[in-house]
Amino acid sequence: MTDTARPRQGRQAGRAERLVLFGADRPLRLECGRTLTDVPVVFERFGPPDASGADTVFVCHALTGDAHVTRHRPTDAPGWWESMVGPGRPIDTDRFQVVCANVLGGCSGTLGPAPADRDAVGEPFPQVTVADMVAVHRELLRRLGIGRLHAVVGGSLGGMQALEWLLRHPYDARRYGLIATSAQLTTDNLAFNAIGRAAIRSDPRFLDGGYRHGEGPDAGLGIARMIGHLTYMSGDSLQAKFARDRARPPHPAPGTPATAGVPAWGPFSVERYLEYQAEKLVARFDANSYLCLTSAMDLFDAFATPYEQVAEAAPDIRLFSFASDRLYGVEHSRHIVDRLAKAGAHAAHFHEDTSGAGHDAFLMEVPGYLDAVARWLAGPLPEETRVAPAACPFDLSPHPGPGQGHRAAQESP
C-alpha cells in the first residue's frame, strides 16, 4: 500500500504519534507470504524520554485495546490500563518511558482491514499473525532509536505478543511479563471465537467483509462482544453483580405493538449489561478487525518452532495468572512455565487467588497482583540477564529474507 500522509516528526508530548514504516526497500514480509509497504503505525509514549531503552517498557495491548494505555495528564480521557500504568503505578511513568502501539490488523490507526484501509491494501486483507504484530513493534522501536528494553509486558492477546517476542527475540528486552495469557488456545477457547465470528458473518450487513464505513455488521459484532465478554468475567462475578435482578427491556421500536418485544427481550439485568457492552464496542471497533485479530489468536502456537535461544539469553521472565480466570486460567501459565523449563529457561509464576473478577482481573485494582508486578519491575536483574553476549548482540532490525522478524525456523538455532 502507499500512504501519502506525512508522519509527524519528533515526539508529540501527550498525544498519539504516527509513523509510516516498511518502505519499498524494507517491506514487511508476513507469515502468510504477502508483503506490505508503507505501513502506518499509531503509538503513544508516556514518561521520560529514554533512547537507550534501559528504562523503557513496551506494553502490548489486548484484543480491543489501543495505544492509549493511560493518561498523559489529568484532563485526558482515561486509558485502558490505569491500574497498571501511570505515576506511582507498577509500570511507573515517573521512572519508565512507556511505549504502546496499536497492533497490525486493528482499527485505531495502524494498518488493518477496516473500510478506511481497504483501498490502500486491496482485498482481501492478508492473514495477520501474532508474529507479524511483533515484527511491526520491533520496526517501530528501531525507527525510534530505542535500544534494549527494560521490559515487554502484556495481558491476554498482549501477553501472546510478549511471549512471541520472548521466544523469537529474547535479547530485545531484559524482562518479559506475560499476564493472563496463553501459548495456544484450547478447543473451548476456539469454540467461543468461532461463535463470535459466526455472529458477524450472519449479519446481512457483513457483505463478506465488503461493507462501507458506518454501514458495518453492528448487530453481529455486538453479539460477538456479548459472547466474548462472558469469558472475561467469572460465573461468581456475574452472580454477585446481577444475580436474578430485573431491569426493564428496551422500548419496542416505533410502530410495533407494545407487546411485541416482551418474549424477545429477557427481563434480567445481566441481559441489559451485555447489551450495553455490545453497544460500547460497536461504537469504537470494526468487525473486520475483530475477525482478523481473533483469527490471529486462534492460529497462535507459541512453541511450534525452536526457541532454545531463550535459555542462552536468560531474560527475567514472569507470568501472572488468576484463579477465577475461565478464559486463560492457571493451566495456560503452567504450560508456558513447563515448556520454557524443558528448554532450560526459568520463568517465575505469580498466581493470584483472591480476586473473583475472572479474566478481566488483569485490568483491575487487585492489590496482590499489582504489588507483585511492581516488585518485579523494580527489583534487581539476575546477573546473567544484565548484558547480552557479544556473540548475540542486541538488534531490533528485522532479519532479511522470508519470515523477516518472524518465527522463521532459521532464527531459532
Side-chain angles (χ1 to χ4, degrees):
M1 68 162 285
T2 300
D3 189 301
T4 56
R6 186 173 183 177
R8 294 175 181 144
Q9 300 298 316
R11 183 163 186 170
Q12 307 293 312
R15 68 178 70 176
E17 300 175 72
R18 180 176 177 274
L19 285 174
V20 177
L21 307 179
F22 301 103
D25 61 336
R26 190 184 180 87
L28 170 62
R29 292 182 173 89
L30 303 175
E31 285 201 316
C32 69
R34 285 183 58 179
T35 61
L36 296 172
T37 59
D38 300 322
V39 176
V41 175
V42 169
F43 61 100
E44 295 189 33
R45 288 184 278 186
F46 308 82
D50 170 41
S52 73
D55 290 314
T56 295
V57 176
F58 193 101
V59 171
C60 303
H61 72 70
L63 174 60
T64 61
D66 57 27
H68 191 60
V69 65
T70 192
R71 305 170 205 235
H72 295 274
R73 57 182 67 84
T75 55
D76 281 356
W80 57 267
W81 213 4
E82 300 218 328
S83 62
M84 181 66 72
V85 183
R89 306 307 297 176
I91 303 178
D92 188 352
T93 52
D94 286 336
R95 172 183 175 183
F96 297 115
Q97 174 179 237
V98 174
V99 180
C100 185
N102 297 316
V103 295
L104 181 71
C107 54
S108 298
T110 296
L111 185 68
D117 290 329
R118 186 175 298 130
D119 291 341
V121 176
E123 298 181 63
F125 189 80
Q127 174 71 61
V128 166
T129 66
V130 173
D132 297 328
M133 299 174 197
V134 172
V136 175
H137 295 334
R138 298 179 77 238
E139 178 67 4
L140 172 64
L141 292 173
R142 189 191 72 84
R143 281 284 299 276
L144 294 175
I146 295 175
R148 192 181 189 208
L149 300 166
H150 181 78
V152 175
V153 178
S156 197
L157 171 57
M160 295 178 191
Q161 295 166 63
L163 176 58
E164 174 68 22
W165 208 328
L166 163 68
L167 296 179
R168 314 308 155 202
H169 313 286
Y171 286 102
D172 282 9
R174 294 164 176 83
R175 304 179 196 260
Y176 290 86
L178 319 175
I179 305 174
T181 195
S182 177
Q184 182 189 68
L185 299 197
T186 65
T187 307
D188 188 60
N189 297 149
L190 296 173
F192 277 107
N193 282 349
I195 297 168
R197 286 194 293 272
I200 292 172
R201 292 195 310 268
S202 68
D203 190 317
R205 301 209 315 176
F206 179 56
L207 303 177
D208 289 329
Y211 56 86
R212 295 188 295 181
H213 179 69
E215 300 177 5
D218 292 353
L221 177 59
I223 294 169
R225 179 59 163 185
M226 293 169 75
I227 296 163
H229 197 77
L230 278 177
T231 70
Y232 305 153
M233 300 183 70
S234 68
D236 288 344
S237 66
L238 284 167
Q239 179 67 26
K241 190 168 185 175
F242 301 108
R244 291 179 61 85
D245 294 348
R246 299 193 171 220
R248 291 178 61 87
H251 293 293
T256 59
T259 57
V262 173
W265 301 88
F268 297 104
S269 295
V270 67
E271 188 170 351
R272 304 289 86 77
Y273 171 74
L274 292 173
E275 291 160 357
Y276 167 70
Q277 292 297 330
E279 291 170 1
K280 282 205 308 180
L281 184 76
V282 164
R284 67 177 180 84
F285 212 75
D286 176 72
N288 277 335
S289 283
Y290 194 91
L291 296 173
C292 178
L293 299 182
T294 55
S295 176
M297 296 167 72
D298 287 357
L299 294 173
F300 185 54
D301 190 357
F303 296 107
T305 56
Y307 51 95
E308 290 83 356
Q309 194 179 20
V310 178
E312 179 185 299
D316 186 4
I317 308 166
R318 192 66 54 96
L319 287 94
F320 301 86
S321 62
F322 300 87
S324 60
D325 185 351
R326 60 181 176 183
L327 184 62
Y328 306 138
V330 64
E331 67 279 3
H332 288 263
S333 291
R334 287 174 178 160
H335 171 70
I336 295 170
V337 171
D338 289 346
R339 291 299 298 265
L340 289 171
K342 288 177 181 177
H346 173 72
H349 179 197
F350 177 87
H351 182 60
E352 205 289 322
D353 60 5
T354 65
S355 172
H359 183 66
D360 271 355
F362 89 90
L363 299 169
M364 298 180 178
E365 292 280 353
V366 181
Y369 147 67
L370 294 175
D371 290 346
V373 175
R375 289 194 301 271
W376 169 64
L377 284 173
L381 282 164
E383 187 67 33
E384 62 271 21
T385 302
R386 293 177 186 172
V387 181
C392 191
F394 178 57
D395 178 14
L396 280 172
S397 62
H399 293 268
Q404 73 171 46
H406 297 192
R407 294 192 299 148
Q410 65 268 25
E411 295 181 32
S412 301

